[in-house]
């Protein structure tokens, strides 16, 4: 096993946006894929072009855009939605389908878990690059899950007797830009020993900087931060110790076989196409372990306080929805208490009561002085993300409502509210959307059905199949 730190090799990845921009656009990307799939690639491109043209430039006329704006839209669709985020995959028959990870994101609203899945699946080589670049990776025998390797390395480093902080430059130079490591031939122990030896002997290595030499390193750090696996400052990088279960999973995946590009004959156009189809399907696959690992942020005071009330609301420590309801319940309780303490019994957490169409009943109190004791019906929708929502012109969000929730929105009108809870790394943010049914009628929000209920009787049965047990 040979390891030379100076044996440098540059492996690029698709450039994303800033953390906040990626998370702001993620719901829009995912819903765009969900609305349009499955369909042919031609239909997918046509529909997505129109929808992104309207979202970014205020007009569905994609063909009427400038070439630069068209290129921007195509980069969003192919580079970010497809190659970087793996929200959809394309078959050999040119059919486009929503990926498992996209479906998971829309159902669970756990952004860090989604990015954990990306980091686990990501590898070099991959099909994010053009074939010429991919072929160079194959010729150089590149074969690594880089982000899993980084986690395994940081885990080893923190367990050493002399636990010295690791810099981002060291990870970049000694690991993510080193050919020997990228070939999968060097253990984390060897790399750590080399870094410590160079420090001791005061050996200065080349500093990676600038867009060409540093951007591909920075992008991988960014994904790991979005996954809530690492934390960084201007110079150092370290593991997020609240995510020990996920860290163990990354270390296990570092030892597993990768998607095998070397099984294909890339001199054959048919095998090239097959490899690309297989890769896009693989990259959007959901690691089942992800669904078991809850994203760990610092617990909010509201939830901590609620847990002290033993069994009073049946708070689950696992379900994101329960946490959101608990947070809003405590927030409403304190708001009403500050208005008139005798009215706090009007604040009820009813999320476990089926069929209501809302999670919490409260009262208007100080927010509606003319009708303070009128009922307020609250449906809570929660999501987890690393950064705070920007709420700027390019920000968007989406959520799913049941038919009962939408009926309740119509029934209660101005007294029905959706509280959208954002659990972020540094704070919890709640926004209120009042009277969503009216806003939909006035085209301020878009609502469309995603599930169709089919009721039928025995008259329509054409044939019945049975097998004895």
């Amino acid at each position: 096993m040979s390891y030379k730190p100076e044996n440098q090799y540059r492996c690029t990845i698709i450039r994303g946006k800033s953390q906040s921009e990626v998370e702001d656009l993620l719901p829009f990307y995912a819903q765009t894929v969900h609305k349009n799939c499955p369909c042919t690639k031609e239909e997918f491109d046509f529909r997505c072009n129109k929808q992104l043209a309207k979202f970014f430039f205020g007009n569905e006329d994609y063909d009427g855009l400038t070439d630069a704006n068209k290129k921007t839209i195509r980069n969003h669709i192919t580079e970010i939605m497809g190659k970087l985020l793996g929200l959809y995959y394309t078959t050999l028959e040119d059919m486009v389908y929503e990926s498992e990870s996209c479906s998971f994101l829309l159902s669970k609203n756990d952004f860090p878990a989604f990015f954990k899945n990306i980091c686990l699946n990501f590898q070099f080589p991959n099909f994010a690059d053009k074939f010429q670049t991919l072929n160079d990776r194959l010729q150089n025998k590149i074969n690594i899950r880089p982000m899993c390797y980084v986690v395994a390395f940081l885990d080893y480093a923190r367990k050493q007797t002399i636990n010295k902080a690791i810099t981002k430059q060291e990870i970049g130079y000694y690991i993510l830009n080193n050919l020997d490591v990228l070939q999968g031939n060097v253990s984390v122990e060897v790399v750590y020993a080399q870094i410590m030896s160079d420090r001791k002997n005061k050996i200065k290595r080349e500093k990676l900087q600038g867009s060409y030499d540093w951007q591909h390193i920075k992008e991988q750090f960014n994904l790991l931060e979005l996954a809530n696996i690492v934390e960084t400052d201007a110079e150092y990088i370290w593991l997020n110790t609240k995510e020990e279960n996920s860290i163990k999973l990354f270390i296990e995946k570092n030892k597993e076989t990768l998607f095998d590009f070397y099984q294909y004959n890339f001199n054959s156009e048919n095998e090239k196409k097959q490899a690309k189809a297989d890769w896009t399907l693989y990259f959007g696959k959901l690691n089942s372990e992800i669904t078991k690992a809850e994203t760990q942020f610092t617990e909010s005071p509201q939830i901590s306080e609620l847990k002290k009330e033993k069994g009073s609301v049946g708070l689950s420590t696992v379900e994101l929805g329960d946490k959101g309801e608990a947070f809003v319940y405590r927030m409403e309780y304190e708001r009403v208490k500050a208005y008139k303490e005798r009215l706090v019994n009007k604040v009820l957490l009813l999320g476990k009561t089926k069929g209501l169409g809302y999670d919490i009943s409260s009262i208007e109190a100080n927010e509606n002085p003319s009708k303070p004791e009128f009922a307020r019906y609250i449906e809570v929708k929660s999501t987890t993300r690393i950064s705070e929502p920007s709420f700027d012109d390019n920000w968007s969000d989406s959520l799913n409502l049941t038919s009962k929730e939408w009926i309740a929105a119509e029934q209660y009108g101005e007294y029905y509210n959706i509280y959208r809870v954002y659990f972020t790394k540094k704070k919890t943010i709640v926004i209120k959307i009042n009277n969503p049914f009216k806003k939909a009628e006035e085209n301020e929000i878009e609502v469309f059905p995603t599930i169709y209920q089919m009721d039928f009787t025995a008259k329509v049965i054409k044939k019945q199949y049975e097998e004895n047990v």
Side-chain angles (χ1 to χ4, degrees):
M1 179 173 58
S2 173
Y3 176 54
K4 295 181 179 179
E6 62 275 13
N7 196 6
Q8 295 283 284
Y9 182 87
R10 180 172 171 266
C11 266
T12 58
I13 75 169
I14 296 295
R15 291 192 177 192
K17 305 286 185 180
S18 69
Q19 285 188 10
S20 179
E21 284 179 302
V22 169
E23 292 192 300
D24 281 350
L25 288 169
L26 189 55
F28 170 70
Y29 288 148
Q31 282 291 0
T32 299
V33 170
H34 180 68
K35 288 178 187 177
N36 294 315
C37 292
C39 62
T40 65
K41 186 178 184 305
E42 182 179 1
E43 291 171 330
F44 184 76
D45 288 342
F46 176 75
R47 295 172 187 174
C48 290
N49 286 346
K50 285 180 62 177
Q51 289 167 19
L52 268 71
K54 182 179 180 180
F55 182 80
F56 288 108
F57 303 110
N59 192 326
E60 288 187 353
D61 183 17
Y62 171 80
D63 292 330
L65 297 176
T66 65
D67 289 344
N69 287 345
K70 286 181 182 178
K71 184 178 180 182
T72 295
I73 286 176
R74 293 309 303 163
N75 281 342
H76 277 283
I77 296 169
T78 60
E79 303 298 293
I80 300 179
M81 290 165 59
K83 294 178 180 179
L84 178 64
L85 300 179
L87 293 169
Y88 65 87
Y89 64 93
T90 307
T91 68
L92 287 174
E93 295 78 22
D94 275 342
M95 288 292 294
V96 183
Y97 294 91
E98 177 182 346
S99 70
E100 288 182 356
S101 59
C102 181
S103 299
F104 170 80
L105 175 68
L106 291 172
S107 65
K108 297 300 182 183
N109 282 301
D110 190 334
F111 288 22
F114 172 80
F115 285 106
K116 285 184 181 76
N117 198 68
I118 288 177
C119 292
L120 287 170
N121 286 347
F122 188 86
Q123 68 164 73
F124 292 126
N126 60 62
F127 250 112
D129 295 310
K130 294 179 179 178
F131 179 71
Q132 182 179 356
T133 304
L134 171 61
N135 192 47
D136 185 76
R137 306 271 191 266
L138 296 171
Q139 289 179 356
N140 279 282
K141 299 180 180 179
I142 304 299
N143 197 40
I144 190 175
R145 292 183 194 268
M147 286 173 260
C148 290
Y149 189 97
V150 168
V151 172
F153 174 82
L154 291 173
D155 180 67
Y156 177 80
R158 68 173 174 163
K159 291 176 179 176
Q160 301 314 297
T161 305
I162 303 174
N163 189 5
K164 297 183 179 179
I166 301 297
T167 69
K168 292 190 282 189
Q169 275 290 328
E170 287 169 334
I171 296 292
Y173 185 88
Y174 290 90
I175 295 175
L176 295 177
N177 217 52
N178 179 268
L179 179 60
D180 301 322
V181 173
L182 293 170
Q183 289 173 335
N185 295 328
V186 185
S187 69
V188 296
E189 293 86 352
V190 169
V191 175
Y192 181 82
Q194 183 69 59
I195 292 173
M196 293 301 109
S197 174
D198 285 358
R199 285 186 183 184
K200 180 179 179 180
N201 295 315
K202 298 182 179 180
I203 296 175
K204 298 292 184 182
R205 299 291 183 178
E206 175 188 355
K207 184 176 182 180
L208 301 173
Q209 56 190 343
S211 177
Y212 183 85
D213 287 327
W214 185 246
Q215 187 65 33
H216 61 291
I217 308 295
K218 181 180 177 182
E219 293 291 346
Q220 292 176 74
F221 292 159
N222 195 38
L223 287 174
L224 283 168
E225 283 192 87
L226 286 169
N228 203 39
I229 294 295
V230 304
E231 297 179 324
T232 69
D233 59 19
E235 185 175 1
Y236 296 99
I237 180 170
W238 61 95
L239 292 175
N240 177 3
T241 55
K242 294 184 179 70
E243 291 277 5
E244 291 295 349
N245 289 336
S246 294
I247 289 168
K248 290 177 184 176
L249 177 58
F250 271 69
I251 294 169
E252 290 171 7
K253 291 291 183 183
N254 183 49
K255 300 171 184 177
E256 289 186 3
T257 304
L258 308 175
F259 179 90
D260 187 8
F261 276 91
Y262 295 92
Q263 66 178 304
Y264 300 95
N265 176 13
F266 285 99
N267 293 319
S268 163
E269 286 300 319
N270 288 337
E271 290 221 26
K272 261 202 256 188
K273 291 178 181 177
Q274 184 67 60
K276 189 169 186 178
D278 292 346
W279 166 258
T280 58
L281 175 61
Y282 156 81
F283 190 57
K285 284 281 187 183
L286 181 68
N287 290 274
S288 60
E289 301 94 331
I290 287 295
T291 62
K292 303 171 188 175
E294 182 192 3
T295 297
Q296 298 293 331
F297 289 158
T298 300
E299 194 169 77
S300 68
Q302 286 91 338
I303 293 175
S304 296
E305 181 67 23
L306 203 57
K307 283 182 177 178
K308 294 177 184 177
E309 299 177 11
K310 298 179 181 180
S312 62
V313 293
L315 174 63
S316 165
T317 60
V318 177
E319 292 298 326
L320 177 61
D322 288 349
K323 287 188 174 182
E325 291 169 22
F327 188 92
V328 173
Y329 168 79
R330 175 54 60 178
M331 186 179 74
E332 281 294 295
Y333 184 94
E334 295 298 336
R335 181 180 70 85
V336 173
K337 182 179 179 181
Y339 176 72
K340 281 185 182 178
E341 187 168 358
R342 68 177 177 81
L343 295 175
V344 294
N345 64 329
K346 301 285 187 180
V347 183
L348 302 173
L349 181 55
L350 303 167
K352 301 300 182 186
T353 306
K354 296 187 180 297
L356 293 178
Y358 55 90
D359 299 311
I360 296 168
S361 66
S362 183
I363 59 172
E364 294 290 276
N366 61 312
E367 293 184 0
N368 192 347
S370 64
K371 303 173 182 177
E373 294 192 36
F374 274 47
R376 172 179 293 188
Y377 304 95
I378 300 169
E379 175 60 30
V380 182
K381 298 294 181 182
S382 305
T383 192
T384 305
R385 51 182 284 166
I386 296 298
S387 63
E388 299 169 28
S390 66
F391 302 120
D392 63 14
D393 291 341
N394 280 335
W395 176 84
S396 75
D397 199 359
S398 64
L399 49 84
N400 295 321
L401 295 172
T402 66
S403 60
K404 289 187 182 297
E405 289 162 0
W406 193 238
I407 290 169
E410 180 180 11
Q411 179 181 355
Y412 297 117
E414 65 176 303
Y415 300 105
Y416 190 88
N417 303 270
I418 294 175
Y419 280 42
R420 184 60 156 159
V421 183
Y422 299 94
F423 291 109
T424 76
K425 195 151 192 174
K426 293 184 178 178
K427 65 174 69 171
T428 299
I429 300 167
V430 181
I431 61 172
K432 181 175 76 171
I433 302 169
N434 175 247
N435 202 350
F437 189 85
K438 183 179 180 181
K439 285 181 169 58
E441 287 188 317
E442 296 175 349
N443 295 318
E444 292 184 46
I445 59 176
E446 183 181 1
V447 179
F448 64 96
T450 58
I451 297 175
Y452 295 88
Q453 179 177 319
M454 186 179 78
D455 298 319
F456 61 95
T457 67
K459 294 178 181 178
V460 302
I461 298 174
K462 185 175 182 179
K463 189 173 178 62
Q464 180 172 327
Y465 302 89
E466 294 182 2
E467 180 178 342
N468 292 328
V469 178

